[in-house]
Amino acid sequence: MEPRIGTLTVERFRALRQLKIDGLGRVNLVTGRNNTGKSSVLEALRILASDASPSVISSILRFREEDVGEMEESSRPLDAEGLFQLSSLFHGFPQFSVELESIVIASNGGQRPMKLSMEAGWFSEEWDPDGSRKLVPQPRELFGEGDALPALVIEAGGARRIMALDTFRRYPYRSRPFRSDFADESRLPCVFVSPYGGERTATLGPLWDKIALSDREKDVVEALRIIDPEISAVSMVGGEGPRETRRAIVRAADVPRPVPLRSFGDGLNRLFGIVLSLVNAKDGLLLIDEFENGMHHTVQTDVWRAVFRLARSLNIQVVATSHSWDSIEAFQKAASEDPAEGVLIRLSRKGEDVVPTLFREDELAVATRDRIEVR
């Protein structure tokens, strides 16, 4: 079956002034040196798949510590350059008070052609009798004067939407009810695994609930057995009380009672996070940042094999990043067993541009055999 996304185009987003990756496979590994935009590619895919939902953009900003924090006084005016961190989404970290070229993220050549744009806008606010807010466009020249507010203007899925700055301000409370201008729903199923995914198994509870008591449980257990063959079952417990967090527990043949998954080390927790996310991404995208984190190189080939198998059976397209030669070589071994599915993408910087080089099938084998610079 054709991958969800065949070609990805990103313009003026983060480190990517203009990037086009043509020929994505079902399972893709993105490599490159630091500051070549590997994580930016994953962020662009998350934004595209979600139609730029507020929760996704907020999550991206928080992870990079670019989000707008709480204000001691909610009535304090917004500071465009000091607080409006959404400008960090635009290429070159421009000032938001100047005219910015739009961010464009698009995909085509696959099952789900998609396109969205994000541009800066300035608005004043009006309130309806029911307490809902209406944003009225204002000239850019008025920004910083009076009640002019900064916002992102999103065009996606045939709709034009406005995402005001205070959507991202984390107040302990709101003085007025607020109705979001966005429907916070994904256009394409998309699950993201952060570089530290699996370290806090409590965050994986909602993913577990979606596959509990289904055939997907067997896939998760089978994957965990790559690291510890004695494991026979896994589950999530806890969370009943307001202060009680959920945790993963496992049953192993050499242990007399169920024990926390955390007891088995970071590698098993990382694998649990990846595979649980994978089985939740059916018919969509799975994005993994720094695939190899926490996993010993001796198990990575088998983990990649499990990723290839489940991606094919569940109709999932996988895009992962890595800067590890061990991970690249493990990916090549797994891809060689299913050569039509795997693509290695090296990002390299040339001036202001990031240039992709794709390796597949025989090219990937030669690249890893001869240690061609792919990182």
Side-chain angles (χ1 to χ4, degrees), residues 16-318:
L16 308 174
R17 188 178 72 88
Q18 190 169 35
L19 175 72
K20 183 177 182 180
I21 303 176
D22 192 4
L24 289 165
R26 179 171 298 281
V27 182
N28 306 271
L29 180 59
V30 182
T31 69
R33 296 182 178 180
N34 290 337
N35 197 34
T36 53
K38 299 187 297 295
S39 295
S40 296
V41 169
L42 299 188
E43 291 176 345
L45 285 168
R46 292 176 68 189
I47 291 172
L48 181 64
S50 69
D51 270 354
S53 78
S55 63
V56 168
I57 294 179
S58 293
S59 174
I60 289 170
L61 294 173
R62 281 197 304 271
F63 183 78
R64 296 208 187 210
E65 298 183 352
E66 297 168 343
D67 58 321
V68 180
E70 291 181 5
M71 299 286 294
E72 294 183 0
E73 299 179 9
S74 60
S75 60
R76 180 177 169 183
L78 300 173
D79 179 345
E81 308 308 342
L83 294 177
F84 193 45
Q85 300 301 329
L86 289 181
S87 62
S88 65
L89 297 174
F90 291 79
H91 178 70
F93 297 95
Q95 294 181 334
F96 196 75
S97 56
V98 302
E99 188 169 359
L100 304 178
E101 292 187 87
S102 300
I103 295 169
V104 179
I105 307 172
S107 69
N108 56 57
Q111 297 178 5
R112 293 288 298 271
M114 297 177 288
K115 183 177 181 179
L116 68 78
S117 66
M118 299 190 292
E119 64 180 14
W122 291 263
F123 299 83
S124 61
E125 59 181 4
E126 297 178 359
W127 296 91
D128 291 335
D130 63 357
S132 61
R133 182 177 61 171
K134 184 178 0 179
L135 296 175
V136 180
Q138 296 293 329
R140 179 175 60 85
E141 292 76 11
L142 295 180
F143 180 66
E145 300 180 11
D147 295 327
L149 301 173
L152 282 180
V153 180
I154 314 293
E155 292 193 13
R160 185 175 185 268
R161 308 166 188 170
I162 301 168
M163 190 182 298
L165 167 60
D166 62 0
T167 302
F168 303 94
R169 297 175 73 178
R170 296 197 304 271
Y171 292 133
Y173 60 89
R174 287 187 181 274
S175 58
R176 297 185 181 183
F178 174 69
R179 183 181 62 200
S180 174
D181 297 304
F182 274 80
D184 200 8
E185 298 179 357
S186 293
R187 188 176 184 189
L188 176 68
C190 180
V191 182
F192 172 69
V193 182
S194 79
Y196 314 108
E199 289 190 357
R200 295 187 60 199
T201 52
T203 63
L204 300 175
L207 295 180
W208 176 260
D209 292 340
K210 292 180 180 179
I211 61 99
L213 303 179
S214 75
D215 292 340
R216 301 281 74 84
E217 278 195 30
K218 298 177 183 178
D219 295 320
V220 175
V221 172
E222 183 178 345
L224 295 182
R225 288 169 59 86
I226 293 172
I227 293 180
D228 191 331
E230 299 299 320
I231 290 177
S232 59
V234 61
S235 186
M236 298 284 294
V237 298
E240 291 83 4
R243 296 185 178 181
E244 185 179 358
T245 60
R246 300 187 71 181
R247 58 178 178 156
I249 58 173
V250 295
R251 166 70 77 177
D254 54 351
V255 181
R257 59 181 177 81
V259 296
L261 183 66
R262 290 292 301 161
S263 302
F264 286 76
D266 291 340
L268 202 63
N269 279 266
R270 177 65 170 172
L271 180 56
F272 180 63
I274 288 175
V275 176
L276 187 55
S277 299
L278 182 59
V279 297
N280 270 272
K282 188 177 186 299
D283 296 323
L285 295 176
L286 175 68
L287 310 176
I288 309 171
D289 204 358
E290 297 185 22
F291 173 89
E292 72 281 357
N293 274 7
M295 286 191 288
H296 196 267
H297 68 90
T298 56
V299 303
Q300 289 187 30
T301 300
D302 285 334
V303 174
W304 275 119
R305 288 185 178 122
V307 170
F308 273 80
R309 176 178 60 82
L310 290 172
R312 183 172 55 253
S313 64
L314 299 177
N315 189 30
I316 300 166
Q317 186 170 27
V318 179

